[in-house]
Each structure stands twice: as C-alpha cells, then as structure tokens.
Amino acid sequence: MPDYHDDLRLAHVLADAADAQTMDRFKALDLKVETKPDMTPVSEADKAAEELIRSQLQRARPRDAILGEEYGIEGTGPRRWVIDPIDGTKNYVRGVPVWATLISLMEAGEGGYQPVVGVVSAPALGRRWWAAKGGGAYTGRSLTSATRLHVSKVSRLSDASFAYSSLTGWEEQGRLDGFMDLTRAVWRTRGYGDFWPYMMVAEGAVDICAEPELSLWDMAANAIVVTEAGGSFTGLDGRPGPHSGNAAASNGLLHDELLGYLNQRY
C-alpha cells in the first residue's frame, strides 16, 4: 500500500491557506459575485482560493495535474489534484456558514482515476475531515489532533436519517416519486446540502444521503472520506466512486435500498 502521508499533509497546508483566504472575505460587504454560464454563482473568493491552491501545488507537486471547478484541467499524468475552492457558494455569498473547500488527490488505476487523499475543510463551522487510502478517515483540528470516523450501524430504513440538498434535481430527472417514497420510509429527513451530508454519513450522524447532479470536484474528496469511514459511495447507477455525475452515500448496510428507491421511475 503506497504511503500518502506527505500528500495528506500537503492537502492540509493547502486547506489552511484556502481557509484563511475564504474566511477573510466571508460576509464581506464588497464581495463581488458573478453568474457563470450554467447560471450558478461564483464569487471572487472562489477564484482567489483556487488560484492560491493551484500556485502552491505547482511549486510543491509540479509533475501533478490539477483539475479545478473555476479554471479547468492543467497538466497530465497518473496523479491529479481535484479542487472545489468553495463547495456551497450560494451559502457563502448569503452568509450561511455551511460551505467548504474540497481538496482531493486522484491516481490513475482500474476504472479510471480514483481518489486516494481527501480533505474537506469548513472553516466557518470550525470543522475539518480527511482521509487517505488505506489509512482511515478522521476529523479534528489537525493531523495530530484527530478522531477516527466510523459510519453508523443502522440496518433498517425505518430507523435511518436521510439527508439531501434539494428537490428540484430529482424532479427534473423523473426521480421525484422514488425520492418522496424514500422520505416516507425513513425515520428522519433533513436538507443539509452540499458536502455536509457526506461528512455526517462518515461520522455516523446520518445514515444515507444522495444528490442527483454533481461534478467530479463536488464528490472526489467526499467519496474517500465516506469509504475510509467504512461506508459506501457510488453513483445512482451503483458504480463505485465519484464518476457518475450524481452520488449516493450510506453506511453500506442501507445502500441497496437507497439505490432502489432513487431509481424508481413512474
């Protein structure tokens, strides 16, 4: 098993730098926000955080490729850093503290690139989560001050807590009826949104979560944290990993049922 400790340590350094920059502009009265071609918002803080991470990676890992939400792909090779500078931009620009910088290292392997390191840093919540392949998943203030994560052992859907982002995407894909049936079958539902449901699945606070439409940078870091905590992370098609354009995550025990409901079509 390769040792990813140096890469994980670097990801923490990158997250520290991004946290300082994004927190400096959080709730700034003069924050500039634009609309991208896909009609989603992007702030000056998104762009600045990605530029900062890219510049540090180019110095520390010049041979590695970089894929980011704001500036696309740069470089080639078997190792690729995947960055979402602010996951939850809509929250960020409204002053809601639920947003995070997502940093993942992916390596070429069977079935394409797979995440081997992931850091999810939510400075406005004072929280950070991370994982490296074969090394487990953790949360805490730093590498030396951390608690290991484990998914829940809830095995009945009627006892499960289900987290999601919104209803609109499910309706657009014709999956809303299955989604609503799932909400009736579980014990509890909450719309936490973005990265947070996946981290709560990893912590064992939530048992299942799903989103109908995502990009690779939304999922790569989340995927390895969930799986290293003992959970399952797939697309709605059941394909393991962050490659399906959507996501379903669970404690593993409820995964087949989760996919069954969300793939109902009427």
Side-chain angles (χ1 to χ4, degrees), residues 4-16 53 56-57 59-61 64 79 81 103 117 119 143:
Y4 296 105
H5 187 74
D6 286 347
D7 294 311
L8 182 59
R9 194 161 48 208
L10 173 60
H12 275 270
V13 171
L14 299 173
D16 288 343
I53 293 170
Q56 294 199 10
L57 277 173
R59 288 195 298 272
R61 295 288 189 275
D64 294 351
R79 288 164 48 98
W81 293 86
I103 300 169
V117 167
V119 171
L143 282 165

mmCIF file with all atom_site columns, all heavy atoms in Angstrom, residues 4-16 53 56-57 59-61 64 79 81 103 117 119 143:
data_model
loop_
_atom_site.group_PDB
_atom_site.id
_atom_site.type_symbol
_atom_site.label_atom_id
_atom_site.label_alt_id
_atom_site.label_comp_id
_atom_site.label_asym_id
_atom_site.label_entity_id
_atom_site.label_seq_id
_atom_site.pdbx_PDB_ins_code
_atom_site.Cartn_x
_atom_site.Cartn_y
_atom_site.Cartn_z
_atom_site.occupancy
_atom_site.B_iso_or_equiv
_atom_site.pdbx_formal_charge
_atom_site.auth_seq_id
_atom_site.auth_comp_id
_atom_site.auth_asym_id
_atom_site.auth_atom_id
_atom_site.pdbx_PDB_model_num
ATOM 1   N N   . TYR A 1 4   ? 0.558   7.734  1.618   1.00 0.00 ? 4   TYR A N   1
ATOM 2   C CA  . TYR A 1 4   ? 0.085   9.041  1.153   1.00 0.00 ? 4   TYR A CA  1
ATOM 3   C C   . TYR A 1 4   ? 0.205   10.122 2.223   1.00 0.00 ? 4   TYR A C   1
ATOM 4   O O   . TYR A 1 4   ? -0.418  11.173 2.115   1.00 0.00 ? 4   TYR A O   1
ATOM 5   C CB  . TYR A 1 4   ? -1.372  8.927  0.691   1.00 0.00 ? 4   TYR A CB  1
ATOM 6   C CG  . TYR A 1 4   ? -1.539  8.022  -0.506  1.00 0.00 ? 4   TYR A CG  1
ATOM 7   C CD1 . TYR A 1 4   ? -2.085  6.742  -0.373  1.00 0.00 ? 4   TYR A CD1 1
ATOM 8   C CD2 . TYR A 1 4   ? -1.149  8.454  -1.763  1.00 0.00 ? 4   TYR A CD2 1
ATOM 9   C CE1 . TYR A 1 4   ? -2.236  5.912  -1.468  1.00 0.00 ? 4   TYR A CE1 1
ATOM 10  C CE2 . TYR A 1 4   ? -1.307  7.629  -2.881  1.00 0.00 ? 4   TYR A CE2 1
ATOM 11  C CZ  . TYR A 1 4   ? -1.850  6.358  -2.724  1.00 0.00 ? 4   TYR A CZ  1
ATOM 12  O OH  . TYR A 1 4   ? -1.989  5.546  -3.818  1.00 0.00 ? 4   TYR A OH  1
ATOM 13  N N   . HIS A 1 5   ? 1.015   9.868  3.255   1.00 0.00 ? 5   HIS A N   1
ATOM 14  C CA  . HIS A 1 5   ? 1.074   10.817 4.366   1.00 0.00 ? 5   HIS A CA  1
ATOM 15  C C   . HIS A 1 5   ? 1.568   12.194 3.916   1.00 0.00 ? 5   HIS A C   1
ATOM 16  O O   . HIS A 1 5   ? 1.021   13.217 4.347   1.00 0.00 ? 5   HIS A O   1
ATOM 17  C CB  . HIS A 1 5   ? 1.967   10.270 5.479   1.00 0.00 ? 5   HIS A CB  1
ATOM 18  C CG  . HIS A 1 5   ? 1.939   11.108 6.733   1.00 0.00 ? 5   HIS A CG  1
ATOM 19  N ND1 . HIS A 1 5   ? 0.861   11.104 7.592   1.00 0.00 ? 5   HIS A ND1 1
ATOM 20  C CD2 . HIS A 1 5   ? 2.832   12.002 7.240   1.00 0.00 ? 5   HIS A CD2 1
ATOM 21  C CE1 . HIS A 1 5   ? 1.102   11.942 8.585   1.00 0.00 ? 5   HIS A CE1 1
ATOM 22  N NE2 . HIS A 1 5   ? 2.275   12.500 8.396   1.00 0.00 ? 5   HIS A NE2 1
ATOM 23  N N   . ASP A 1 6   ? 2.583   12.228 3.062   1.00 0.00 ? 6   ASP A N   1
ATOM 24  C CA  . ASP A 1 6   ? 3.098   13.526 2.606   1.00 0.00 ? 6   ASP A CA  1
ATOM 25  C C   . ASP A 1 6   ? 2.056   14.279 1.785   1.00 0.00 ? 6   ASP A C   1
ATOM 26  O O   . ASP A 1 6   ? 1.926   15.505 1.898   1.00 0.00 ? 6   ASP A O   1
ATOM 27  C CB  . ASP A 1 6   ? 4.375   13.337 1.785   1.00 0.00 ? 6   ASP A CB  1
ATOM 28  C CG  . ASP A 1 6   ? 5.577   12.980 2.649   1.00 0.00 ? 6   ASP A CG  1
ATOM 29  O OD1 . ASP A 1 6   ? 5.483   13.127 3.888   1.00 0.00 ? 6   ASP A OD1 1
ATOM 30  O OD2 . ASP A 1 6   ? 6.604   12.556 2.092   1.00 0.00 ? 6   ASP A OD2 1
ATOM 31  N N   . ASP A 1 7   ? 1.313   13.553 0.956   1.00 0.00 ? 7   ASP A N   1
ATOM 32  C CA  . ASP A 1 7   ? 0.258   14.187 0.163   1.00 0.00 ? 7   ASP A CA  1
ATOM 33  C C   . ASP A 1 7   ? -0.862  14.696 1.070   1.00 0.00 ? 7   ASP A C   1
ATOM 34  O O   . ASP A 1 7   ? -1.410  15.780 0.848   1.00 0.00 ? 7   ASP A O   1
ATOM 35  C CB  . ASP A 1 7   ? -0.304  13.200 -0.859  1.00 0.00 ? 7   ASP A CB  1
ATOM 36  C CG  . ASP A 1 7   ? 0.718   12.818 -1.914  1.00 0.00 ? 7   ASP A CG  1
ATOM 37  O OD1 . ASP A 1 7   ? 1.351   13.719 -2.487  1.00 0.00 ? 7   ASP A OD1 1
ATOM 38  O OD2 . ASP A 1 7   ? 0.878   11.610 -2.162  1.00 0.00 ? 7   ASP A OD2 1
ATOM 39  N N   . LEU A 1 8   ? -1.197  13.915 2.083   1.00 0.00 ? 8   LEU A N   1
ATOM 40  C CA  . LEU A 1 8   ? -2.243  14.338 3.014   1.00 0.00 ? 8   LEU A CA  1
ATOM 41  C C   . LEU A 1 8   ? -1.797  15.575 3.789   1.00 0.00 ? 8   LEU A C   1
ATOM 42  O O   . LEU A 1 8   ? -2.580  16.516 3.979   1.00 0.00 ? 8   LEU A O   1
ATOM 43  C CB  . LEU A 1 8   ? -2.574  13.190 3.977   1.00 0.00 ? 8   LEU A CB  1
ATOM 44  C CG  . LEU A 1 8   ? -3.692  13.444 4.986   1.00 0.00 ? 8   LEU A CG  1
ATOM 45  C CD1 . LEU A 1 8   ? -5.001  13.768 4.292   1.00 0.00 ? 8   LEU A CD1 1
ATOM 46  C CD2 . LEU A 1 8   ? -3.863  12.226 5.904   1.00 0.00 ? 8   LEU A CD2 1
ATOM 47  N N   . ARG A 1 9   ? -0.537  15.581 4.212   1.00 0.00 ? 9   ARG A N   1
ATOM 48  C CA  . ARG A 1 9   ? -0.018  16.751 4.929   1.00 0.00 ? 9   ARG A CA  1
ATOM 49  C C   . ARG A 1 9   ? -0.052  17.990 4.034   1.00 0.00 ? 9   ARG A C   1
ATOM 50  O O   . ARG A 1 9   ? -0.421  19.084 4.473   1.00 0.00 ? 9   ARG A O   1
ATOM 51  C CB  . ARG A 1 9   ? 1.401   16.457 5.402   1.00 0.00 ? 9   ARG A CB  1
ATOM 52  C CG  . ARG A 1 9   ? 1.926   17.461 6.443   1.00 0.00 ? 9   ARG A CG  1
ATOM 53  C CD  . ARG A 1 9   ? 3.101   16.878 7.195   1.00 0.00 ? 9   ARG A CD  1
ATOM 54  N NE  . ARG A 1 9   ? 4.091   16.291 6.308   1.00 0.00 ? 9   ARG A NE  1
ATOM 55  C CZ  . ARG A 1 9   ? 4.893   15.297 6.634   1.00 0.00 ? 9   ARG A CZ  1
ATOM 56  N NH1 . ARG A 1 9   ? 4.805   14.751 7.828   1.00 0.00 ? 9   ARG A NH1 1
ATOM 57  N NH2 . ARG A 1 9   ? 5.786   14.833 5.780   1.00 0.00 ? 9   ARG A NH2 1
ATOM 58  N N   . LEU A 1 10  ? 0.312   17.823 2.761   1.00 0.00 ? 10  LEU A N   1
ATOM 59  C CA  . LEU A 1 10  ? 0.256   18.940 1.825   1.00 0.00 ? 10  LEU A CA  1
ATOM 60  C C   . LEU A 1 10  ? -1.182  19.422 1.647   1.00 0.00 ? 10  LEU A C   1
ATOM 61  O O   . LEU A 1 10  ? -1.436  20.640 1.614   1.00 0.00 ? 10  LEU A O   1
ATOM 62  C CB  . LEU A 1 10  ? 0.832   18.515 0.468   1.00 0.00 ? 10  LEU A CB  1
ATOM 63  C CG  . LEU A 1 10  ? 0.682   19.528 -0.673  1.00 0.00 ? 10  LEU A CG  1
ATOM 64  C CD1 . LEU A 1 10  ? 1.369   20.848 -0.345  1.00 0.00 ? 10  LEU A CD1 1
ATOM 65  C CD2 . LEU A 1 10  ? 1.228   18.943 -1.980  1.00 0.00 ? 10  LEU A CD2 1
ATOM 66  N N   . ALA A 1 11  ? -2.130  18.498 1.557   1.00 0.00 ? 11  ALA A N   1
ATOM 67  C CA  . ALA A 1 11  ? -3.536  18.892 1.412   1.00 0.00 ? 11  ALA A CA  1
ATOM 68  C C   . ALA A 1 11  ? -4.003  19.717 2.599   1.00 0.00 ? 11  ALA A C   1
ATOM 69  O O   . ALA A 1 11  ? -4.793  20.667 2.442   1.00 0.00 ? 11  ALA A O   1
ATOM 70  C CB  . ALA A 1 11  ? -4.406  17.644 1.236   1.00 0.00 ? 11  ALA A CB  1
ATOM 71  N N   . HIS A 1 12  ? -3.539  19.397 3.787   1.00 0.00 ? 12  HIS A N   1
ATOM 72  C CA  . HIS A 1 12  ? -3.870  20.199 4.972   1.00 0.00 ? 12  HIS A CA  1
ATOM 73  C C   . HIS A 1 12  ? -3.260  21.601 4.873   1.00 0.00 ? 12  HIS A C   1
ATOM 74  O O   . HIS A 1 12  ? -3.909  22.590 5.240   1.00 0.00 ? 12  HIS A O   1
ATOM 75  C CB  . HIS A 1 12  ? -3.376  19.503 6.241   1.00 0.00 ? 12  HIS A CB  1
ATOM 76  C CG  . HIS A 1 12  ? -4.325  18.491 6.783   1.00 0.00 ? 12  HIS A CG  1
ATOM 77  N ND1 . HIS A 1 12  ? -5.307  18.807 7.693   1.00 0.00 ? 12  HIS A ND1 1
ATOM 78  C CD2 . HIS A 1 12  ? -4.447  17.164 6.546   1.00 0.00 ? 12  HIS A CD2 1
ATOM 79  C CE1 . HIS A 1 12  ? -5.989  17.714 8.002   1.00 0.00 ? 12  HIS A CE1 1
ATOM 80  N NE2 . HIS A 1 12  ? -5.488  16.702 7.313   1.00 0.00 ? 12  HIS A NE2 1
ATOM 81  N N   . VAL A 1 13  ? -2.030  21.693 4.392   1.00 0.00 ? 13  VAL A N   1
ATOM 82  C CA  . VAL A 1 13  ? -1.395  23.003 4.213   1.00 0.00 ? 13  VAL A CA  1
ATOM 83  C C   . VAL A 1 13  ? -2.190  23.842 3.204   1.00 0.00 ? 13  VAL A C   1
ATOM 84  O O   . VAL A 1 13  ? -2.434  25.039 3.414   1.00 0.00 ? 13  VAL A O   1
ATOM 85  C CB  . VAL A 1 13  ? 0.069   22.833 3.748   1.00 0.00 ? 13  VAL A CB  1
ATOM 86  C CG1 . VAL A 1 13  ? 0.671   24.170 3.344   1.00 0.00 ? 13  VAL A CG1 1
ATOM 87  C CG2 . VAL A 1 13  ? 0.902   22.190 4.851   1.00 0.00 ? 13  VAL A CG2 1
ATOM 88  N N   . LEU A 1 14  ? -2.614  23.207 2.115   1.00 0.00 ? 14  LEU A N   1
ATOM 89  C CA  . LEU A 1 14  ? -3.428  23.905 1.115   1.00 0.00 ? 14  LEU A CA  1
ATOM 90  C C   . LEU A 1 14  ? -4.758  24.364 1.714   1.00 0.00 ? 14  LEU A C   1
ATOM 91  O O   . LEU A 1 14  ? -5.211  25.485 1.456   1.00 0.00 ? 14  LEU A O   1
ATOM 92  C CB  . LEU A 1 14  ? -3.693  22.969 -0.074  1.00 0.00 ? 14  LEU A CB  1
ATOM 93  C CG  . LEU A 1 14  ? -2.483  22.467 -0.856  1.00 0.00 ? 14  LEU A CG  1
ATOM 94  C CD1 . LEU A 1 14  ? -2.917  21.419 -1.874  1.00 0.00 ? 14  LEU A CD1 1
ATOM 95  C CD2 . LEU A 1 14  ? -1.754  23.611 -1.548  1.00 0.00 ? 14  LEU A CD2 1
ATOM 96  N N   . ALA A 1 15  ? -5.376  23.495 2.509   1.00 0.00 ? 15  ALA A N   1
ATOM 97  C CA  . ALA A 1 15  ? -6.652  23.848 3.137   1.00 0.00 ? 15  ALA A CA  1
ATOM 98  C C   . ALA A 1 15  ? -6.481  24.993 4.132   1.00 0.00 ? 15  ALA A C   1
ATOM 99  O O   . ALA A 1 15  ? -7.336  25.882 4.219   1.00 0.00 ? 15  ALA A O   1
ATOM 100 C CB  . ALA A 1 15  ? -7.255  22.624 3.819   1.00 0.00 ? 15  ALA A CB  1
ATOM 101 N N   . ASP A 1 16  ? -5.370  24.993 4.880   1.00 0.00 ? 16  ASP A N   1
ATOM 102 C CA  . ASP A 1 16  ? -5.108  26.099 5.816   1.00 0.00 ? 16  ASP A CA  1
ATOM 103 C C   . ASP A 1 16  ? -5.045  27.431 5.072   1.00 0.00 ? 16  ASP A C   1
ATOM 104 O O   . ASP A 1 16  ? -5.618  28.435 5.509   1.00 0.00 ? 16  ASP A O   1
ATOM 105 C CB  . ASP A 1 16  ? -3.783  25.870 6.552   1.00 0.00 ? 16  ASP A CB  1
ATOM 106 C CG  . ASP A 1 16  ? -3.847  24.750 7.574   1.00 0.00 ? 16  ASP A CG  1
ATOM 107 O OD1 . ASP A 1 16  ? -4.965  24.356 7.963   1.00 0.00 ? 16  ASP A OD1 1
ATOM 108 O OD2 . ASP A 1 16  ? -2.771  24.272 7.980   1.00 0.00 ? 16  ASP A OD2 1
ATOM 109 N N   . ILE A 1 53  ? -4.492  27.732 -4.280  1.00 0.00 ? 53  ILE A N   1
ATOM 110 C CA  . ILE A 1 53  ? -4.199  26.299 -4.195  1.00 0.00 ? 53  ILE A CA  1
ATOM 111 C C   . ILE A 1 53  ? -3.378  25.858 -5.398  1.00 0.00 ? 53  ILE A C   1
ATOM 112 O O   . ILE A 1 53  ? -2.399  25.112 -5.266  1.00 0.00 ? 53  ILE A O   1
ATOM 113 C CB  . ILE A 1 53  ? -5.511  25.492 -4.085  1.00 0.00 ? 53  ILE A CB  1
ATOM 114 C CG1 . ILE A 1 53  ? -6.211  25.790 -2.746  1.00 0.00 ? 53  ILE A CG1 1
ATOM 115 C CG2 . ILE A 1 53  ? -5.232  23.996 -4.204  1.00 0.00 ? 53  ILE A CG2 1
ATOM 116 C CD1 . ILE A 1 53  ? -7.621  25.245 -2.648  1.00 0.00 ? 53  ILE A CD1 1
ATOM 117 N N   . GLN A 1 56  ? 0.315   26.961 -5.105  1.00 0.00 ? 56  GLN A N   1
ATOM 118 C CA  . GLN A 1 56  ? 1.080   26.167 -4.143  1.00 0.00 ? 56  GLN A CA  1
ATOM 119 C C   . GLN A 1 56  ? 1.336   24.757 -4.658  1.00 0.00 ? 56  GLN A C   1
ATOM 120 O O   . GLN A 1 56  ? 2.424   24.197 -4.451  1.00 0.00 ? 56  GLN A O   1
ATOM 121 C CB  . GLN A 1 56  ? 0.349   26.133 -2.800  1.00 0.00 ? 56  GLN A CB  1
ATOM 122 C CG  . GLN A 1 56  ? 0.282   27.496 -2.126  1.00 0.00 ? 56  GLN A CG  1
ATOM 123 C CD  . GLN A 1 56  ? -0.017  27.402 -0.635  1.00 0.00 ? 56  GLN A CD  1
ATOM 124 O OE1 . GLN A 1 56  ? -0.011  26.341 -0.042  1.00 0.00 ? 56  GLN A OE1 1
ATOM 125 N NE2 . GLN A 1 56  ? -0.270  28.546 -0.025  1.00 0.00 ? 56  GLN A NE2 1
ATOM 126 N N   . LEU A 1 57  ? 0.352   24.169 -5.357  1.00 0.00 ? 57  LEU A N   1
ATOM 127 C CA  . LEU A 1 57  ? 0.551   22.839 -5.929  1.00 0.00 ? 57  LEU A CA  1
ATOM 128 C C   . LEU A 1 57  ? 1.608   22.854 -7.031  1.00 0.00 ? 57  LEU A C   1
ATOM 129 O O   . LEU A 1 57  ? 2.403   21.920 -7.150  1.00 0.00 ? 57  LEU A O   1
ATOM 130 C CB  . LEU A 1 57  ? -0.771  22.308 -6.498  1.00 0.00 ? 57  LEU A CB  1
ATOM 131 C CG  . LEU A 1 57  ? -1.729  21.649 -5.514  1.00 0.00 ? 57  LEU A CG  1
ATOM 132 C CD1 . LEU A 1 57  ? -3.057  21.343 -6.186  1.00 0.00 ? 57  LEU A CD1 1
ATOM 133 C CD2 . LEU A 1 57  ? -1.120  20.372 -4.927  1.00 0.00 ? 57  LEU A CD2 1
ATOM 134 N N   . ARG A 1 59  ? 4.187   24.605 -7.182  1.00 0.00 ? 59  ARG A N   1
ATOM 135 C CA  . ARG A 1 59  ? 5.519   24.620 -6.551  1.00 0.00 ? 59  ARG A CA  1
ATOM 136 C C   . ARG A 1 59  ? 5.829   23.296 -5.870  1.00 0.00 ? 59  ARG A C   1
ATOM 137 O O   . ARG A 1 59  ? 6.938   22.774 -5.979  1.00 0.00 ? 59  ARG A O   1
ATOM 138 C CB  . ARG A 1 59  ? 5.596   25.764 -5.536  1.00 0.00 ? 59  ARG A CB  1
ATOM 139 C CG  . ARG A 1 59  ? 5.674   27.153 -6.147  1.00 0.00 ? 59  ARG A CG  1
ATOM 140 C CD  . ARG A 1 59  ? 6.108   28.182 -5.123  1.00 0.00 ? 59  ARG A CD  1
ATOM 141 N NE  . ARG A 1 59  ? 5.158   28.299 -4.015  1.00 0.00 ? 59  ARG A NE  1
ATOM 142 C CZ  . ARG A 1 59  ? 4.104   29.115 -4.027  1.00 0.00 ? 59  ARG A CZ  1
ATOM 143 N NH1 . ARG A 1 59  ? 3.853   29.857 -5.085  1.00 0.00 ? 59  ARG A NH1 1
ATOM 144 N NH2 . ARG A 1 59  ? 3.297   29.177 -2.989  1.00 0.00 ? 59  ARG A NH2 1
ATOM 145 N N   . ALA A 1 60  ? 4.844   22.740 -5.159  1.00 0.00 ? 60  ALA A N   1
ATOM 146 C CA  . ALA A 1 60  ? 5.087   21.547 -4.342  1.00 0.00 ? 60  ALA A CA  1
ATOM 147 C C   . ALA A 1 60  ? 4.998   20.243 -5.140  1.00 0.00 ? 60  ALA A C   1
ATOM 148 O O   . ALA A 1 60  ? 5.693   19.273 -4.817  1.00 0.00 ? 60  ALA A O   1
ATOM 149 C CB  . ALA A 1 60  ? 4.089   21.502 -3.184  1.00 0.00 ? 60  ALA A CB  1
ATOM 150 N N   . ARG A 1 61  ? 4.144   20.207 -6.166  1.00 0.00 ? 61  ARG A N   1
ATOM 151 C CA  . ARG A 1 61  ? 3.934   18.988 -6.954  1.00 0.00 ? 61  ARG A CA  1
ATOM 152 C C   . ARG A 1 61  ? 3.895   19.354 -8.439  1.00 0.00 ? 61  ARG A C   1
ATOM 153 O O   . ARG A 1 61  ? 2.860   19.208 -9.098  1.00 0.00 ? 61  ARG A O   1
ATOM 154 C CB  . ARG A 1 61  ? 2.630   18.297 -6.548  1.00 0.00 ? 61  ARG A CB  1
ATOM 155 C CG  . ARG A 1 61  ? 2.587   17.765 -5.119  1.00 0.00 ? 61  ARG A CG  1
ATOM 156 C CD  . ARG A 1 61  ? 3.469   16.535 -4.950  1.00 0.00 ? 61  ARG A CD  1
ATOM 157 N NE  . ARG A 1 61  ? 3.255   15.906 -3.650  1.00 0.00 ? 61  ARG A NE  1
ATOM 158 C CZ  . ARG A 1 61  ? 3.860   16.278 -2.530  1.00 0.00 ? 61  ARG A CZ  1
ATOM 159 N NH1 . ARG A 1 61  ? 4.706   17.299 -2.547  1.00 0.00 ? 61  ARG A NH1 1
ATOM 160 N NH2 . ARG A 1 61  ? 3.611   15.654 -1.387  1.00 0.00 ? 61  ARG A NH2 1
ATOM 161 N N   . ASP A 1 64  ? 2.312   16.943 -11.082 1.00 0.00 ? 64  ASP A N   1
ATOM 162 C CA  . ASP A 1 64  ? 0.919   16.507 -10.950 1.00 0.00 ? 64  ASP A CA  1
ATOM 163 C C   . ASP A 1 64  ? -0.019  17.413 -11.744 1.00 0.00 ? 64  ASP A C   1
ATOM 164 O O   . ASP A 1 64  ? 0.206   18.621 -11.841 1.00 0.00 ? 64  ASP A O   1
ATOM 165 C CB  . ASP A 1 64  ? 0.488   16.501 -9.484  1.00 0.00 ? 64  ASP A CB  1
ATOM 166 C CG  . ASP A 1 64  ? 1.232   15.473 -8.652  1.00 0.00 ? 64  ASP A CG  1
ATOM 167 O OD1 . ASP A 1 64  ? 1.967   14.647 -9.245  1.00 0.00 ? 64  ASP A OD1 1
ATOM 168 O OD2 . ASP A 1 64  ? 1.078   15.500 -7.417  1.00 0.00 ? 64  ASP A OD2 1
ATOM 169 N N   . ARG A 1 79  ? -1.257  11.250 -11.665 1.00 0.00 ? 79  ARG A N   1
ATOM 170 C CA  . ARG A 1 79  ? -1.741  11.871 -10.416 1.00 0.00 ? 79  ARG A CA  1
ATOM 171 C C   . ARG A 1 79  ? -2.428  13.202 -10.754 1.00 0.00 ? 79  ARG A C   1
ATOM 172 O O   . ARG A 1 79  ? -1.903  14.014 -11.501 1.00 0.00 ? 79  ARG A O   1
ATOM 173 C CB  . ARG A 1 79  ? -0.575  12.128 -9.457  1.00 0.00 ? 79  ARG A CB  1
ATOM 174 C CG  . ARG A 1 79  ? -0.004  10.855 -8.831  1.00 0.00 ? 79  ARG A CG  1
ATOM 175 C CD  . ARG A 1 79  ? 1.362   11.105 -8.207  1.00 0.00 ? 79  ARG A CD  1
ATOM 176 N NE  . ARG A 1 79  ? 1.391   12.284 -7.353  1.00 0.00 ? 79  ARG A NE  1
ATOM 177 C CZ  . ARG A 1 79  ? 1.276   12.258 -6.008  1.00 0.00 ? 79  ARG A CZ  1
ATOM 178 N NH1 . ARG A 1 79  ? 1.120   11.114 -5.374  1.00 0.00 ? 79  ARG A NH1 1
ATOM 179 N NH2 . ARG A 1 79  ? 1.358   13.366 -5.316  1.00 0.00 ? 79  ARG A NH2 1
ATOM 180 N N   . TRP A 1 81  ? -4.754  16.381 -8.875  1.00 0.00 ? 81  TRP A N   1
ATOM 181 C CA  . TRP A 1 81  ? -5.405  17.046 -7.750  1.00 0.00 ? 81  TRP A CA  1
ATOM 182 C C   . TRP A 1 81  ? -6.729  17.627 -8.241  1.00 0.00 ? 81  TRP A C   1
ATOM 183 O O   . TRP A 1 81  ? -6.780  18.273 -9.286  1.00 0.00 ? 81  TRP A O   1
ATOM 184 C CB  . TRP A 1 81  ? -4.519  18.147 -7.188  1.00 0.00 ? 81  TRP A CB  1
ATOM 185 C CG  . TRP A 1 81  ? -3.277  17.621 -6.538  1.00 0.00 ? 81  TRP A CG  1
ATOM 186 C CD1 . TRP A 1 81  ? -2.091  17.320 -7.159  1.00 0.00 ? 81  TRP A CD1 1
ATOM 187 C CD2 . TRP A 1 81  ? -3.090  17.314 -5.158  1.00 0.00 ? 81  TRP A CD2 1
ATOM 188 N NE1 . TRP A 1 81  ? -1.181  16.840 -6.254  1.00 0.00 ? 81  TRP A NE1 1
ATOM 189 C CE2 . TRP A 1 81  ? -1.759  16.827 -5.003  1.00 0.00 ? 81  TRP A CE2 1
ATOM 190 C CE3 . TRP A 1 81  ? -3.907  17.402 -4.036  1.00 0.00 ? 81  TRP A CE3 1
ATOM 191 C CZ2 . TRP A 1 81  ? -1.249  16.434 -3.774  1.00 0.00 ? 81  TRP A CZ2 1
ATOM 192 C CZ3 . TRP A 1 81  ? -3.394  17.011 -2.803  1.00 0.00 ? 81  TRP A CZ3 1
ATOM 193 C CH2 . TRP A 1 81  ? -2.084  16.536 -2.682  1.00 0.00 ? 81  TRP A CH2 1
ATOM 194 N N   . ILE A 1 103 ? -10.483 19.296 -1.348  1.00 0.00 ? 103 ILE A N   1
ATOM 195 C CA  . ILE A 1 103 ? -9.204  19.017 -1.998  1.00 0.00 ? 103 ILE A CA  1
ATOM 196 C C   . ILE A 1 103 ? -9.007  17.511 -2.033  1.00 0.00 ? 103 ILE A C   1
ATOM 197 O O   . ILE A 1 103 ? -9.069  16.838 -0.994  1.00 0.00 ? 103 ILE A O   1
ATOM 198 C CB  . ILE A 1 103 ? -8.035  19.677 -1.239  1.00 0.00 ? 103 ILE A CB  1
ATOM 199 C CG1 . ILE A 1 103 ? -8.215  21.200 -1.181  1.00 0.00 ? 103 ILE A CG1 1
ATOM 200 C CG2 . ILE A 1 103 ? -6.700  19.326 -1.891  1.00 0.00 ? 103 ILE A CG2 1
ATOM 201 C CD1 . ILE A 1 103 ? -7.260  21.893 -0.224  1.00 0.00 ? 103 ILE A CD1 1
ATOM 202 N N   . VAL A 1 117 ? -6.555  10.580 -1.577  1.00 0.00 ? 117 VAL A N   1
ATOM 203 C CA  . VAL A 1 117 ? -6.461  11.529 -0.470  1.00 0.00 ? 117 VAL A CA  1
ATOM 204 C C   . VAL A 1 117 ? -7.626  12.503 -0.595  1.00 0.00 ? 117 VAL A C   1
ATOM 205 O O   . VAL A 1 117 ? -7.991  12.900 -1.705  1.00 0.00 ? 117 VAL A O   1
ATOM 206 C CB  . VAL A 1 117 ? -5.131  12.313 -0.500  1.00 0.00 ? 117 VAL A CB  1
ATOM 207 C CG1 . VAL A 1 117 ? -5.166  13.516 0.458   1.00 0.00 ? 117 VAL A CG1 1
ATOM 208 C CG2 . VAL A 1 117 ? -3.958  11.411 -0.146  1.00 0.00 ? 117 VAL A CG2 1
ATOM 209 N N   . VAL A 1 119 ? -9.433  16.005 1.627   1.00 0.00 ? 119 VAL A N   1
ATOM 210 C CA  . VAL A 1 119 ? -9.600  16.913 2.759   1.00 0.00 ? 119 VAL A CA  1
ATOM 211 C C   . VAL A 1 119 ? -10.824 17.780 2.491   1.00 0.00 ? 119 VAL A C   1
ATOM 212 O O   . VAL A 1 119 ? -10.970 18.340 1.398   1.00 0.00 ? 119 VAL A O   1
ATOM 213 C CB  . VAL A 1 119 ? -8.361  17.803 2.980   1.00 0.00 ? 119 VAL A CB  1
ATOM 214 C CG1 . VAL A 1 119 ? -8.652  18.884 4.024   1.00 0.00 ? 119 VAL A CG1 1
ATOM 215 C CG2 . VAL A 1 119 ? -7.171  16.960 3.424   1.00 0.00 ? 119 VAL A CG2 1
ATOM 216 N N   . LEU A 1 143 ? -3.739  17.002 11.895  1.00 0.00 ? 143 LEU A N   1
ATOM 217 C CA  . LEU A 1 143 ? -3.357  15.600 11.770  1.00 0.00 ? 143 LEU A CA  1
ATOM 218 C C   . LEU A 1 143 ? -3.022  14.970 13.118  1.00 0.00 ? 143 LEU A C   1
ATOM 219 O O   . LEU A 1 143 ? -3.226  13.770 13.329  1.00 0.00 ? 143 LEU A O   1
ATOM 220 C CB  . LEU A 1 143 ? -2.152  15.470 10.830  1.00 0.00 ? 143 LEU A CB  1
ATOM 221 C CG  . LEU A 1 143 ? -2.450  15.563 9.331   1.00 0.00 ? 143 LEU A CG  1
ATOM 222 C CD1 . LEU A 1 143 ? -1.163  15.783 8.557   1.00 0.00 ? 143 LEU A CD1 1
ATOM 223 C CD2 . LEU A 1 143 ? -3.172  14.324 8.849   1.00 0.00 ? 143 LEU A CD2 1
#
